Each structure stands twice: as C-alpha cells, then as structure tokens.
Amino acid sequence: MATQEEFQAVKQKFINADLDEKIRIYTTTEGLTVEQFKELLREFPLQHLDKLEKAMA
C-alpha cells in the first residue's frame, strides 16, 4: 500500500503526464487503494476514457 506521500508523488506525475503516460501510470502502478485510483480518475480526461478501458482489458 502506497503511503500518502508516495501517492501524492504519483498523482503529481499523473497530472503532468500526457495521455499515453497517464494510461501507463494508471495501469501499471501497484499498491494504491480504490480511493486513490478514483482520485487519479478525477484527473483523467473523460473524453479519452475509452482508451483507458481498452488498455485495462
């Protein structure tokens, strides 16, 4: 499980990333809670949610 400090670092990297990097971070980061994943999703451009779904399939 990621500490709050580790999660904030991941979140900041996620916010600053381009779309492909956001997808990579979201699909490969381990140890996050459901709430932390939801928090990342709030920073994801919803018009590209289909690309994230395909990457997770």
Side-chain angles (χ1 to χ4, degrees), residues 4-5 11-12 15-16 18 30-31 34-35 37 42 44-46 50-53:
Q4 187 61 23
E5 186 174 295
K11 183 179 175 184
Q12 194 59 47
I15 289 169
N16 294 326
D18 65 17
E30 296 180 359
V34 171
E35 288 305 314
F37 275 115
R42 290 185 197 108
F44 193 84
L46 296 180
D50 60 324
K51 291 181 181 183
L52 179 59
E53 289 174 352

Side-chain angles (χ1 to χ4, degrees), residues 23-34:
I23 291 171
R24 188 197 67 73
I25 292 169
Y26 195 88
T27 58
T28 62
T29 301
E30 296 180 359
L32 299 183
T33 66
V34 171

